[in-house]
Amino acid sequence: MPTIDLGAVPLRELNAALHALPADTNETHWKVINPRGKHAIAVGLDVPVTVEVEGSVGYYCAGMNKKATVVINGSAGQGVAENMMSGRVHVKGDASSAAGATACGGLLVIDGNASARCGISLRGLDIVVKGNVGHMSGFMAQAGNIVVLGDAGEHLGDSIYEARLYVRGTVKSLGTDCIEKDLRPEHVKDLRRILDAAGLPDVSPTEFRRYGSARRLYNFHIDSIGSY
Amino acid sequence: MTSDERWIHTPPRHSATFDAHAIAEIHRAAATGIYDIRGFGAKRKVPHFDDLLFLGASISRYPLEGYREKCDTSVTLGTRFAKKPITLKIPVTIAGMSFGSLSAPAKEALGRGASLMGTSTTTGDGGMTEEERAASSLLVYQVLPSRYGMDPDQLRRADAIEIVIGQGAKPGGGGMLLGQKISERVAKMRTLPQGIDQRSACRHPDWTGPDDLEIKIIELREITDWEKPVYVKVGAARPYYDTALAVKSGADVVVLDGMQGGTAATQDVFIENVGLPILAAIRPAVQALQDLGMHRKVQLIVSGGVRNGADVAKCLALGADAVSIGTAALIALGDNHPHLAEEYKKLGTVPGAYDDWHEGRDPAGITTQDPELTKRLDPVAAGRRLANYLSVLTLECQTIARACGKSHVHNLEPEDLVALTVEAAAMAQVPLAGTNWIPGKSERGW
Ligand SMILES: Cc1cc2nc3c(=O)[nH]c(=O)nc-3n(C[C@H](O)[C@H](O)[C@H](O)COP(=O)(O)O)c2cc1C
């Protein structure tokens, strides 16, 4: 297993080495040690390899990930897995703000809490946060799912489009145009799929409440002016 | 006074304050309850390049022969950090205009025209289309606050990356694309429901402030192996500080867009009342680069109301490395052409004044997603028109540069210019014509 010591090797070399891997590489498991909060670790990957980071990372770890699995054995700074397209990112600690921002696909699992704006402008990724999420999570989220086992902060789902938000605990307040919606069988089924993928077979989907867009602001209407 | 004389009035007198436009706007607002949204750029008169003149050569400066002596026009962008800087043959590039605001053939035509002239085009909100990638030999990929269509594969296929902080028409505002233009293809590319009125974010979702921007730039460079030039685009608001902060954040190129800059759809009040005219923004931006020892190392591209080769030459003389055009490029493709007078009439307007680009009913087939209207624009012919126009801009700029004795258009300098008005002299920091007076020149030099 290739091990890269970021205490000794420049970040640029790590990312370049990962980008140079052919799709059918035999070097499918990489270890990164001494990350020491460095930014942009394992970004722009495009091959089905696993990168395990031993420690905490700075901003944008696994940014724009495609196909790869990135495991962070520590906490993650701002924008972890931002704009991810596919693959899997697992943060064993907490995540700072904008986790999974604008991401299009794959799965992001955060074992701890996620800070403000988790899943902002989400475009199709599934996010599972085992702890709580901060304020404005799911802001303008367009597609995908945010599943929160703990509580959600203020203004959840503000200006949300078609993304789905599932919260097991309490929601401090809902944002503009975000409402609670029925948890219908298709949602239970989908939630089951996501929880299983996140390795949570014992968590029951029916314990969650679902939130989404009231779609009142999709087209401008003069009577909605106070909502903006 | 007889009873008849009592009713004799002075002739009707219009108010300078409540002029016809102001009154019409009050009526419109009262009738609709919503602000006016439109395309194009600021229509009010602001100090502009027309207020500057070149001095030309004289006894102390000798000119170059118009058709014999070389006057180079090439510009290389991204020399600071990028492994693969790009070189434009002409100092004019096509600004970012989204597919969505523009039709697919219009985007293709921009690519064709620019490529014929050896310059670049830029994507826009909503991502990259195959048509424009195929038609553009040099394509700049925008990273916008909305991130609609943002895709790492497209990032890797781009020749340069432009992080958009703001736009001259609306510094501090987000994108807007109204339902009529959210066709199935546009909706799919942006992951939005079809037909909604899209109002996109005005701030980036995953960073705020210059320290974060620096990290964002590093991320984009890491993703693309430090190959591509990274531009930072700002609307002209605080050009000295914005330029300095963009440089500090690690930009290769700063793109500065003045208030006259075009937009596809913005509130009229925003277009007309926020931001600086480009004339007032170039010198502070150049000063910031000079103060940091970065002039010509970090390149400066300016835009906002560039119409002809004289405008291009004036931007370069004030210290820019290149200019960027949006509105003028659309006009070159055929927007606002007199032959569409009948069609514009049906839309309640006239050639030259058409600005309802947000409505998607453009008879020229440029700012629309309507399949029938879109077909009207032939990308090959329109691309040729754009190339012709770009060629004229370049020839005009060279004509002036040679007259000022310059073997490269970058050798134009503020000393070649004078201003016709006190305002323009103050903003461009060149003397009022016939004097050696530069109003407001402080010890700091700006
Ligand atoms: C139809 C249209 C669409 C535009 N879309 C974008 C965009 O997506 N992103 C962006 O940064 N600027 C956009 N702009 C602004 C241009 O990039 C550029 O800043 C401006 O047009 C330059 O000024 P000019 O029109 O006077 O040449 C758009 C402008 C127009 C006219």
Side-chain angles (χ1 to χ4, degrees):
Chain A
M1 180 194 310
T3 299
I4 306 279
D5 180 357
L6 279 184
V9 176
L11 176 71
R12 223 179 278 197
E13 279 179 32
L14 166 69
N15 283 320
L18 293 168
H19 296 164
L21 292 174
D24 57 354
T25 178
N26 285 324
E27 294 178 321
T28 54
H29 202 127
W30 290 61
K31 208 177 228 0
V32 176
I33 58 171
N34 292 316
R36 295 181 186 155
K38 285 203 169 65
H39 307 302
I41 293 176
V43 292
L45 304 194
D46 195 10
V47 277
V49 298
T50 297
V51 179
E52 238 181 301
V53 187
E54 298 299 337
S56 293
V57 295
Y59 284 31
Y60 309 132
C61 183
M64 304 214 189
N65 185 53
K66 273 179 76 190
K67 302 178 193 143
T69 297
V70 178
V71 181
I72 299 154
N73 289 311
S75 291
Q78 191 159 313
V80 65
E82 69 88 15
N83 214 90
M84 168 173 171
M85 305 301 285
S86 61
R88 187 183 169 106
V89 176
H90 190 166
V91 182
K92 297 284 182 75
D94 298 313
S96 183
S97 47
T102 76
C104 292
L107 177 68
L108 167 64
V109 180
I110 297 162
D111 287 354
N113 303 305
S115 180
R117 300 185 181 85
C118 177
I120 182 172
S121 297
L122 195 69
R123 295 187 291 153
L125 171 74
D126 292 332
I127 303 179
V128 177
V129 181
K130 296 187 191 167
N132 308 321
V133 295
H135 70 266
M136 291 297 250
S137 287
F139 177 60
M140 292 183 86
Q142 298 164 225
N145 299 285
I146 304 177
V147 180
V148 184
L149 273 60
D151 303 328
E154 288 168 326
H155 308 304
L156 178 72
D158 195 285
S159 307
I160 188 172
Y161 293 101
E162 295 296 301
R164 289 173 178 165
L165 314 178
Y166 300 98
V167 183
R168 189 163 71 164
T170 61
V171 172
K172 194 146 189 207
S173 68
L174 291 174
T176 300
D177 208 31
C178 184
I179 51 169
E180 184 172 351
K181 295 184 158 185
D182 291 342
L183 191 74
R184 295 196 300 268
E186 69 260 34
H187 305 123
V188 172
K189 197 171 152 208
D190 205 33
L191 200 43
R192 178 74 276 150
R193 171 189 66 80
I194 298 166
L195 290 165
D196 286 347
L200 295 165
D202 300 331
V203 176
S204 166
T206 53
E207 290 170 26
F208 290 79
R209 297 166 88 160
R210 180 170 79 98
Y211 306 89
S213 180
R215 303 188 180 99
R216 279 188 301 252
L217 303 180
Y218 276 16
N219 290 95
F220 185 86
H221 194 273
I222 186 61
D223 297 331
S224 315
I225 196 78
S227 309
Y228 292 104
Chain B
M1 202 189 301
T2 66
S3 59
D4 278 357
E5 283 169 341
R6 274 181 64 166
W7 303 108
I8 296 177
H9 293 89
T10 55
R13 181 180 179 190
H14 290 289
S15 163
T17 305
F18 288 86
D19 62 11
H21 180 68
I23 290 173
E25 273 306 292
I26 294 171
H27 287 312
R28 198 201 53 75
T32 64
I34 181 171
Y35 39 53
D36 184 34
I37 295 172
R38 65 173 178 86
F40 220 92
K43 292 191 164 181
R44 66 152 72 193
K45 193 165 172 55
V46 292
H48 198 35
F49 299 124
D50 292 337
D51 301 324
L52 300 182
L53 293 175
F54 282 97
L55 293 173
S58 51
I59 296 178
S60 60
R61 306 273 185 285
Y62 62 88
L64 298 186
E65 285 290 347
Y67 297 98
R68 292 178 199 92
E69 289 180 301
K70 195 170 160 55
C71 177
D72 196 349
T73 59
S74 65
V75 192
T76 301
L77 303 165
T79 48
R80 185 184 185 193
F81 288 124
K83 280 191 219 158
K84 295 185 178 168
I86 63 173
T87 298
L88 313 181
K89 289 199 182 129
I90 60 171
V92 185
T93 163
I94 307 299
M97 292 182 275
S98 69
F99 166 67
S101 75
L102 300 186
S103 65
K107 287 296 283 175
E108 182 184 335
L110 293 174
R112 286 175 175 275
S115 300
L116 282 170
M117 288 303 294
T119 191
S120 58
T121 56
T122 314
T123 63
D125 220 356
M128 183 191 286
T129 65
E130 286 306 319
E131 292 95 321
E132 70 179 327
R133 179 61 278 190
S136 307
S137 53
L138 291 171
L139 183 58
V140 184
Y141 188 59
Q142 285 197 330
V143 177
L144 295 115
S146 75
R147 307 281 168 87
Y148 292 135
M150 179 74 222
D151 182 328
D153 290 338
Q154 294 179 348
L155 193 71
R156 287 185 273 260
R157 290 172 74 197
D159 299 290
I161 299 166
E162 179 168 303
I163 302 179
V164 180
I165 318 281
Q167 220 180 297
K170 47 179 166 181
M176 195 183 256
L177 193 65
L178 301 188
Q180 309 87 299
K181 292 174 82 170
I182 312 266
S183 67
E184 197 180 337
R185 182 175 176 197
V186 173
K188 195 153 174 262
M189 276 179 74
R190 299 187 185 212
T191 328
L192 286 171
Q194 208 177 324
I196 67 157
D197 292 333
Q198 169 226 299
R199 281 147 194 272
S200 48
C202 61
R203 291 200 305 270
H204 282 263
D206 55 355
W207 64 268
T208 41
D211 295 335
D212 285 4
L213 173 59
E214 185 171 348
I215 304 170
K216 189 78 212 171
I217 291 177
I218 288 172
E219 185 208 7
L220 293 169
R221 290 197 192 277
E222 285 290 329
I223 289 172
T224 53
D225 296 321
W226 291 75
E227 283 181 354
K228 301 173 202 300
V230 176
Y231 306 4
V232 170
K233 175 176 179 176
V234 291
R238 295 172 187 80
Y240 182 85
Y241 295 106
D242 286 338
T243 303
L245 289 169
V247 171
K248 179 254 168 204
S249 303
D252 290 305
V253 176
V254 177
V255 182
L256 181 66
D257 188 24
M259 75 170 285
Q260 306 100 313
T263 172
T266 301
Q267 298 91 331
D268 175 78
V269 71
F270 207 150
I271 299 176
E272 297 287 356
N273 294 285
V274 185
L276 297 183
I278 192 62
L279 185 69
I282 301 175
R283 292 305 295 280
V286 172
Q287 189 67 51
L289 294 172
Q290 287 169 340
D291 287 354
L292 294 166
M294 284 297 187
H295 192 218
R296 307 287 186 215
K297 293 183 186 151
V298 167
Q299 289 79 34
L300 178 68
I301 301 177
V302 301
S303 58
V306 171
R307 303 150 299 176
N308 51 48
D311 291 351
V312 176
K314 288 167 187 174
C315 291
L316 302 185
L318 293 174
D321 294 273
V323 308
S324 166
I325 56 167
T327 304
L330 302 187
I331 294 170
L333 298 187
D335 171 73
N336 267 299
H337 199 284
H339 84 265
L340 295 167
E342 276 307 306
E343 308 237 16
Y344 285 132
K345 199 172 167 193
K346 285 184 219 152
L347 299 174
T349 187
V350 292
Y354 177 59
D355 61 12
D356 287 325
W357 292 346
H358 62 294
E359 287 183 346
R361 296 193 289 170
D362 183 357
I366 297 169
T367 59
T368 179
Q369 296 303 322
D370 179 299
E372 286 310 309
L373 293 173
T374 296
K375 275 190 220 148
R376 292 186 182 182
L377 191 79
D378 172 357
V380 177
R384 183 70 252 173
R385 287 171 62 92
L386 176 61
N388 288 345
Y389 170 65
L390 289 170
S391 183
V392 171
L393 287 183
T394 309
L395 288 168
E396 287 179 343
C397 179
Q398 282 174 308
T399 300
I400 288 172
R402 284 199 182 93
C404 296
K406 315 295 181 185
S407 58
H408 193 296
V409 290
H410 284 169
N411 297 343
L412 287 163
E413 55 193 324
E415 197 275 332
D416 292 311
L417 292 168
V418 291
L420 288 169
T421 66
V422 176
E423 288 86 347
M427 291 178 188
Q429 294 163 39
V430 299
L432 186 65
T435 77
N436 56 10
W437 181 43
I438 302 177
K441 184 105 175 156
S442 72
E443 274 172 25
R444 282 207 67 178
W446 57 276

